[in-house]
Amino acid sequence: MSRIAFVNGKYISHATAYVHVEDRGYQFADGVYEVSAVWKGKIIDENLHFQRLKRSLQELSISMPMPINALKIISREIIRRNRITDGILYLQISRGVAPREHEFPKQSDQSVVMTARPIDWPEDLKSTGEEVITVDDIRWKRRDIKSISLLPNILAKQKAAAVNAYESWLIDEEGLITEGSSSNAWIVDDQNRIITRDLSENILGGVTRLTLIRLASENGLEVIERPFSISEAKNASEAFLTSTTSFIKGVRSIDGKTIRNGAVGPITAKLHKLYIQHCQTFETN
Ligand code: PDD
């Protein structure tokens, strides 16, 4: 079956789905995106993704190209046309096509692209966890915007890939961990308190992060939103990461320093279970 993409109002073959060479997304990374998980046909936390999309667009003064309900209809159509049961839905909106001048064009229609591809979701938590390395956070100062400008993120991820690690955790000027190159970073202290960096312009407010904080609190687990250092992370009783595509993954080591004998800890396992239950019982509206 050939894949289908939505590009600027049309459903077309993925193989020939292009945007214009003067699209500002292509030339300036002047756009935003969302990645959502499709679980048994449902778009997990769909409204939270659209809320974040709206906010990202607002922060860049890009108008919403159409109402959220219209984007929802296209999402469902892309999932249907690609026959996705479990998969990833990708949405990108750029400021549109205009002659290459840095300032905003007086008039441009936003480019809207949506794609979907199948994926097998990690319903079972790997008992051994993933390796993480740390690298300097060289990104801009508005990481709360889900911008398509991801050069520092891909450089950081590539550094991890080069040493067969799963993720890079990014370190700010004060030696504190902001987040991963494409995920949020978490630790658990010796009193089973769950710690993740507080929301600010320093990190992306992950949808998985938000949902997990809610699930943890509802289930009697304490979550503290505050920065933590590399050494605190390396000496933590558990460490894990979260994202739409990774769900919850245990961290076995940070820069080669083993966390908890390399075995995924009970709090990570509990949170993973809660998140899977959330996906199983999630209702799209
Ligand atoms: N990345 N931080 C960064 C820098 C991210 O790129 C992501 C997600 C997250 C986690 O956010 P969420 O839980 O909403 O997925 C945190 C996506 C998956 C990506 O770029 O593919």
PDB file of all heavy atoms in Angstrom, residues 128-152:
ATOM      1  N   THR A 128      16.367  -3.548  31.157  1.00  0.00           N
ATOM      2  CA  THR A 128      17.752  -3.092  31.355  1.00  0.00           C
ATOM      3  C   THR A 128      17.947  -1.586  31.187  1.00  0.00           C
ATOM      4  O   THR A 128      18.935  -1.041  31.673  1.00  0.00           O
ATOM      5  CB  THR A 128      18.696  -3.801  30.363  1.00  0.00           C
ATOM      6  OG1 THR A 128      18.071  -3.783  29.096  1.00  0.00           O
ATOM      7  CG2 THR A 128      18.982  -5.208  30.812  1.00  0.00           C
ATOM      8  N   GLY A 129      17.051  -0.903  30.528  1.00  0.00           N
ATOM      9  CA  GLY A 129      17.214   0.544  30.376  1.00  0.00           C
ATOM     10  C   GLY A 129      18.185   0.924  29.265  1.00  0.00           C
ATOM     11  O   GLY A 129      18.849   0.067  28.663  1.00  0.00           O
ATOM     12  N   GLU A 130      18.264   2.217  29.007  1.00  0.00           N
ATOM     13  CA  GLU A 130      19.040   2.736  27.880  1.00  0.00           C
ATOM     14  C   GLU A 130      20.273   3.496  28.380  1.00  0.00           C
ATOM     15  O   GLU A 130      20.286   3.995  29.501  1.00  0.00           O
ATOM     16  CB  GLU A 130      18.179   3.731  27.071  1.00  0.00           C
ATOM     17  CG  GLU A 130      16.824   3.206  26.643  1.00  0.00           C
ATOM     18  CD  GLU A 130      16.921   2.146  25.564  1.00  0.00           C
ATOM     19  OE1 GLU A 130      18.005   1.982  24.954  1.00  0.00           O
ATOM     20  OE2 GLU A 130      15.899   1.473  25.332  1.00  0.00           O
ATOM     21  N   GLU A 131      21.256   3.597  27.491  1.00  0.00           N
ATOM     22  CA  GLU A 131      22.439   4.394  27.839  1.00  0.00           C
ATOM     23  C   GLU A 131      22.222   5.837  27.402  1.00  0.00           C
ATOM     24  O   GLU A 131      21.714   6.104  26.321  1.00  0.00           O
ATOM     25  CB  GLU A 131      23.668   3.826  27.134  1.00  0.00           C
ATOM     26  CG  GLU A 131      24.097   2.516  27.748  1.00  0.00           C
ATOM     27  CD  GLU A 131      25.300   1.904  27.068  1.00  0.00           C
ATOM     28  OE1 GLU A 131      26.037   2.631  26.367  1.00  0.00           O
ATOM     29  OE2 GLU A 131      25.480   0.688  27.228  1.00  0.00           O
ATOM     30  N   VAL A 132      22.647   6.753  28.275  1.00  0.00           N
ATOM     31  CA  VAL A 132      22.515   8.179  27.994  1.00  0.00           C
ATOM     32  C   VAL A 132      23.892   8.826  28.149  1.00  0.00           C
ATOM     33  O   VAL A 132      24.662   8.425  29.023  1.00  0.00           O
ATOM     34  CB  VAL A 132      21.494   8.800  28.990  1.00  0.00           C
ATOM     35  CG1 VAL A 132      21.628  10.301  29.073  1.00  0.00           C
ATOM     36  CG2 VAL A 132      20.061   8.423  28.602  1.00  0.00           C
ATOM     37  N   ILE A 133      24.200   9.784  27.294  1.00  0.00           N
ATOM     38  CA  ILE A 133      25.415  10.581  27.491  1.00  0.00           C
ATOM     39  C   ILE A 133      24.989  12.028  27.745  1.00  0.00           C
ATOM     40  O   ILE A 133      23.832  12.381  27.517  1.00  0.00           O
ATOM     41  CB  ILE A 133      26.392  10.497  26.284  1.00  0.00           C
ATOM     42  CG1 ILE A 133      25.717  11.030  25.004  1.00  0.00           C
ATOM     43  CG2 ILE A 133      26.899   9.074  26.085  1.00  0.00           C
ATOM     44  CD1 ILE A 133      26.693  11.298  23.876  1.00  0.00           C
ATOM     45  N   THR A 134      25.906  12.855  28.226  1.00  0.00           N
ATOM     46  CA  THR A 134      25.561  14.268  28.415  1.00  0.00           C
ATOM     47  C   THR A 134      26.373  15.118  27.437  1.00  0.00           C
ATOM     48  O   THR A 134      27.528  14.822  27.152  1.00  0.00           O
ATOM     49  CB  THR A 134      25.846  14.729  29.865  1.00  0.00           C
ATOM     50  OG1 THR A 134      27.226  14.558  30.158  1.00  0.00           O
ATOM     51  CG2 THR A 134      25.011  13.960  30.861  1.00  0.00           C
ATOM     52  N   VAL A 135      25.734  16.153  26.920  1.00  0.00           N
ATOM     53  CA  VAL A 135      26.412  17.099  26.006  1.00  0.00           C
ATOM     54  C   VAL A 135      25.930  18.518  26.341  1.00  0.00           C
ATOM     55  O   VAL A 135      24.859  18.685  26.945  1.00  0.00           O
ATOM     56  CB  VAL A 135      26.129  16.791  24.504  1.00  0.00           C
ATOM     57  CG1 VAL A 135      26.497  15.370  24.140  1.00  0.00           C
ATOM     58  CG2 VAL A 135      24.688  17.060  24.123  1.00  0.00           C
ATOM     59  N   ASP A 136      26.719  19.505  25.963  1.00  0.00           N
ATOM     60  CA  ASP A 136      26.321  20.889  26.235  1.00  0.00           C
ATOM     61  C   ASP A 136      25.022  21.218  25.503  1.00  0.00           C
ATOM     62  O   ASP A 136      24.842  20.827  24.349  1.00  0.00           O
ATOM     63  CB  ASP A 136      27.404  21.860  25.737  1.00  0.00           C
ATOM     64  CG  ASP A 136      28.602  21.858  26.672  1.00  0.00           C
ATOM     65  OD1 ASP A 136      28.458  21.370  27.820  1.00  0.00           O
ATOM     66  OD2 ASP A 136      29.673  22.318  26.239  1.00  0.00           O
ATOM     67  N   ASP A 137      24.156  21.956  26.189  1.00  0.00           N
ATOM     68  CA  ASP A 137      22.926  22.413  25.555  1.00  0.00           C
ATOM     69  C   ASP A 137      23.243  23.706  24.803  1.00  0.00           C
ATOM     70  O   ASP A 137      23.436  24.760  25.418  1.00  0.00           O
ATOM     71  CB  ASP A 137      21.858  22.663  26.631  1.00  0.00           C
ATOM     72  CG  ASP A 137      20.472  22.777  26.027  1.00  0.00           C
ATOM     73  OD1 ASP A 137      20.381  23.053  24.812  1.00  0.00           O
ATOM     74  OD2 ASP A 137      19.478  22.585  26.755  1.00  0.00           O
ATOM     75  N   ILE A 138      23.344  23.607  23.483  1.00  0.00           N
ATOM     76  CA  ILE A 138      23.736  24.787  22.693  1.00  0.00           C
ATOM     77  C   ILE A 138      22.535  25.386  21.949  1.00  0.00           C
ATOM     78  O   ILE A 138      22.684  26.132  20.992  1.00  0.00           O
ATOM     79  CB  ILE A 138      24.878  24.456  21.703  1.00  0.00           C
ATOM     80  CG1 ILE A 138      24.448  23.354  20.721  1.00  0.00           C
ATOM     81  CG2 ILE A 138      26.142  24.054  22.450  1.00  0.00           C
ATOM     82  CD1 ILE A 138      25.399  23.181  19.533  1.00  0.00           C
ATOM     83  N   ARG A 139      21.324  25.061  22.424  1.00  0.00           N
ATOM     84  CA  ARG A 139      20.130  25.530  21.709  1.00  0.00           C
ATOM     85  C   ARG A 139      19.802  26.988  22.014  1.00  0.00           C
ATOM     86  O   ARG A 139      20.367  27.591  22.911  1.00  0.00           O
ATOM     87  CB  ARG A 139      18.931  24.648  22.101  1.00  0.00           C
ATOM     88  CG  ARG A 139      19.102  23.201  21.710  1.00  0.00           C
ATOM     89  CD  ARG A 139      17.968  22.354  22.220  1.00  0.00           C
ATOM     90  NE  ARG A 139      17.880  22.371  23.658  1.00  0.00           N
ATOM     91  CZ  ARG A 139      16.812  22.021  24.358  1.00  0.00           C
ATOM     92  NH1 ARG A 139      15.731  21.618  23.723  1.00  0.00           N
ATOM     93  NH2 ARG A 139      16.816  22.059  25.668  1.00  0.00           N
ATOM     94  N   TRP A 140      18.829  27.525  21.281  1.00  0.00           N
ATOM     95  CA  TRP A 140      18.387  28.893  21.534  1.00  0.00           C
ATOM     96  C   TRP A 140      17.622  28.946  22.856  1.00  0.00           C
ATOM     97  O   TRP A 140      17.459  27.917  23.523  1.00  0.00           O
ATOM     98  CB  TRP A 140      17.556  29.442  20.348  1.00  0.00           C
ATOM     99  CG  TRP A 140      16.159  28.909  20.175  1.00  0.00           C
ATOM    100  CD1 TRP A 140      15.725  27.636  20.465  1.00  0.00           C
ATOM    101  CD2 TRP A 140      15.022  29.603  19.679  1.00  0.00           C
ATOM    102  NE1 TRP A 140      14.394  27.513  20.156  1.00  0.00           N
ATOM    103  CE2 TRP A 140      13.928  28.702  19.681  1.00  0.00           C
ATOM    104  CE3 TRP A 140      14.789  30.892  19.217  1.00  0.00           C
ATOM    105  CZ2 TRP A 140      12.651  29.060  19.237  1.00  0.00           C
ATOM    106  CZ3 TRP A 140      13.512  31.236  18.785  1.00  0.00           C
ATOM    107  CH2 TRP A 140      12.469  30.334  18.798  1.00  0.00           C
ATOM    108  N   LYS A 141      17.153  30.157  23.220  1.00  0.00           N
ATOM    109  CA  LYS A 141      16.589  30.320  24.566  1.00  0.00           C
ATOM    110  C   LYS A 141      15.070  30.176  24.626  1.00  0.00           C
ATOM    111  O   LYS A 141      14.467  30.509  25.630  1.00  0.00           O
ATOM    112  CB  LYS A 141      17.031  31.680  25.124  1.00  0.00           C
ATOM    113  CG  LYS A 141      18.530  31.695  25.381  1.00  0.00           C
ATOM    114  CD  LYS A 141      19.013  32.994  25.949  1.00  0.00           C
ATOM    115  CE  LYS A 141      20.522  32.920  26.199  1.00  0.00           C
ATOM    116  NZ  LYS A 141      21.109  34.251  26.328  1.00  0.00           N
ATOM    117  N   ARG A 142      14.455  29.687  23.541  1.00  0.00           N
ATOM    118  CA  ARG A 142      13.000  29.475  23.545  1.00  0.00           C
ATOM    119  C   ARG A 142      12.679  28.011  23.216  1.00  0.00           C
ATOM    120  O   ARG A 142      12.010  27.709  22.234  1.00  0.00           O
ATOM    121  CB  ARG A 142      12.322  30.424  22.557  1.00  0.00           C
ATOM    122  CG  ARG A 142      12.334  31.873  22.976  1.00  0.00           C
ATOM    123  CD  ARG A 142      11.690  32.114  24.353  1.00  0.00           C
ATOM    124  NE  ARG A 142      10.347  31.547  24.472  1.00  0.00           N
ATOM    125  CZ  ARG A 142       9.232  32.164  24.086  1.00  0.00           C
ATOM    126  NH1 ARG A 142       9.286  33.368  23.558  1.00  0.00           N
ATOM    127  NH2 ARG A 142       8.050  31.581  24.240  1.00  0.00           N
ATOM    128  N   ARG A 143      13.170  27.144  24.087  1.00  0.00           N
ATOM    129  CA  ARG A 143      12.979  25.702  23.836  1.00  0.00           C
ATOM    130  C   ARG A 143      11.564  25.260  24.122  1.00  0.00           C
ATOM    131  O   ARG A 143      11.187  24.120  23.854  1.00  0.00           O
ATOM    132  CB  ARG A 143      13.947  24.899  24.704  1.00  0.00           C
ATOM    133  CG  ARG A 143      15.390  25.200  24.405  1.00  0.00           C
ATOM    134  CD  ARG A 143      16.116  25.472  25.682  1.00  0.00           C
ATOM    135  NE  ARG A 143      17.497  25.859  25.459  1.00  0.00           N
ATOM    136  CZ  ARG A 143      18.368  25.978  26.461  1.00  0.00           C
ATOM    137  NH1 ARG A 143      18.011  25.714  27.703  1.00  0.00           N
ATOM    138  NH2 ARG A 143      19.589  26.370  26.203  1.00  0.00           N
ATOM    139  N   ASP A 144      10.759  26.157  24.714  1.00  0.00           N
ATOM    140  CA  ASP A 144       9.362  25.849  24.979  1.00  0.00           C
ATOM    141  C   ASP A 144       8.530  25.848  23.702  1.00  0.00           C
ATOM    142  O   ASP A 144       7.421  25.326  23.677  1.00  0.00           O
ATOM    143  CB  ASP A 144       8.781  26.873  25.970  1.00  0.00           C
ATOM    144  CG  ASP A 144       8.970  28.312  25.495  1.00  0.00           C
ATOM    145  OD1 ASP A 144      10.087  28.654  25.035  1.00  0.00           O
ATOM    146  OD2 ASP A 144       7.999  29.091  25.559  1.00  0.00           O
ATOM    147  N   ILE A 145       9.083  26.435  22.636  1.00  0.00           N
ATOM    148  CA  ILE A 145       8.379  26.446  21.347  1.00  0.00           C
ATOM    149  C   ILE A 145       8.799  25.201  20.577  1.00  0.00           C
ATOM    150  O   ILE A 145       9.997  24.945  20.433  1.00  0.00           O
ATOM    151  CB  ILE A 145       8.744  27.717  20.543  1.00  0.00           C
ATOM    152  CG1 ILE A 145       8.359  28.975  21.325  1.00  0.00           C
ATOM    153  CG2 ILE A 145       8.097  27.691  19.167  1.00  0.00           C
ATOM    154  CD1 ILE A 145       8.895  30.266  20.714  1.00  0.00           C
ATOM    155  N   LYS A 146       7.835  24.448  20.072  1.00  0.00           N
ATOM    156  CA  LYS A 146       8.190  23.221  19.351  1.00  0.00           C
ATOM    157  C   LYS A 146       8.514  23.566  17.899  1.00  0.00           C
ATOM    158  O   LYS A 146       7.759  23.275  16.970  1.00  0.00           O
ATOM    159  CB  LYS A 146       7.076  22.169  19.458  1.00  0.00           C
ATOM    160  CG  LYS A 146       7.585  20.761  19.169  1.00  0.00           C
ATOM    161  CD  LYS A 146       6.652  19.721  19.712  1.00  0.00           C
ATOM    162  CE  LYS A 146       6.996  18.300  19.266  1.00  0.00           C
ATOM    163  NZ  LYS A 146       8.285  17.808  19.718  1.00  0.00           N
ATOM    164  N   SER A 147       9.640  24.236  17.761  1.00  0.00           N
ATOM    165  CA  SER A 147      10.068  24.740  16.459  1.00  0.00           C
ATOM    166  C   SER A 147      10.715  23.625  15.634  1.00  0.00           C
ATOM    167  O   SER A 147      11.334  22.712  16.204  1.00  0.00           O
ATOM    168  CB  SER A 147      11.060  25.878  16.702  1.00  0.00           C
ATOM    169  OG  SER A 147      12.071  25.884  15.730  1.00  0.00           O
ATOM    170  N   ILE A 148      10.609  23.718  14.313  1.00  0.00           N
ATOM    171  CA  ILE A 148      11.263  22.713  13.451  1.00  0.00           C
ATOM    172  C   ILE A 148      12.763  22.959  13.337  1.00  0.00           C
ATOM    173  O   ILE A 148      13.470  22.185  12.703  1.00  0.00           O
ATOM    174  CB  ILE A 148      10.626  22.650  12.036  1.00  0.00           C
ATOM    175  CG1 ILE A 148      10.642  24.026  11.367  1.00  0.00           C
ATOM    176  CG2 ILE A 148       9.221  22.077  12.102  1.00  0.00           C
ATOM    177  CD1 ILE A 148      10.175  23.991   9.915  1.00  0.00           C
ATOM    178  N   SER A 149      13.247  24.017  13.973  1.00  0.00           N
ATOM    179  CA  SER A 149      14.685  24.295  13.983  1.00  0.00           C
ATOM    180  C   SER A 149      15.352  23.384  15.014  1.00  0.00           C
ATOM    181  O   SER A 149      15.374  23.682  16.199  1.00  0.00           O
ATOM    182  CB  SER A 149      14.889  25.763  14.363  1.00  0.00           C
ATOM    183  OG  SER A 149      16.246  26.004  14.574  1.00  0.00           O
ATOM    184  N   LEU A 150      15.860  22.241  14.554  1.00  0.00           N
ATOM    185  CA  LEU A 150      16.315  21.201  15.489  1.00  0.00           C
ATOM    186  C   LEU A 150      17.798  20.863  15.341  1.00  0.00           C
ATOM    187  O   LEU A 150      18.231  19.784  15.759  1.00  0.00           O
ATOM    188  CB  LEU A 150      15.466  19.938  15.290  1.00  0.00           C
ATOM    189  CG  LEU A 150      14.015  20.028  15.759  1.00  0.00           C
ATOM    190  CD1 LEU A 150      13.225  18.789  15.330  1.00  0.00           C
ATOM    191  CD2 LEU A 150      13.926  20.207  17.262  1.00  0.00           C
ATOM    192  N   LEU A 151      18.569  21.775  14.733  1.00  0.00           N
ATOM    193  CA  LEU A 151      19.974  21.446  14.462  1.00  0.00           C
ATOM    194  C   LEU A 151      20.743  21.031  15.719  1.00  0.00           C
ATOM    195  O   LEU A 151      21.385  19.978  15.721  1.00  0.00           O
ATOM    196  CB  LEU A 151      20.632  22.638  13.747  1.00  0.00           C
ATOM    197  CG  LEU A 151      21.787  22.346  12.795  1.00  0.00           C
ATOM    198  CD1 LEU A 151      21.569  21.105  11.953  1.00  0.00           C
ATOM    199  CD2 LEU A 151      22.028  23.551  11.912  1.00  0.00           C
ATOM    200  N   PRO A 152      20.686  21.811  16.814  1.00  0.00           N
ATOM    201  CA  PRO A 152      21.423  21.363  18.014  1.00  0.00           C
ATOM    202  C   PRO A 152      20.912  20.016  18.540  1.00  0.00           C
ATOM    203  O   PRO A 152      21.685  19.225  19.071  1.00  0.00           O
ATOM    204  CB  PRO A 152      21.163  22.478  19.036  1.00  0.00           C
ATOM    205  CG  PRO A 152      20.676  23.638  18.244  1.00  0.00           C
ATOM    206  CD  PRO A 152      19.985  23.079  17.048  1.00  0.00           C
TER     207      PRO A 152
END
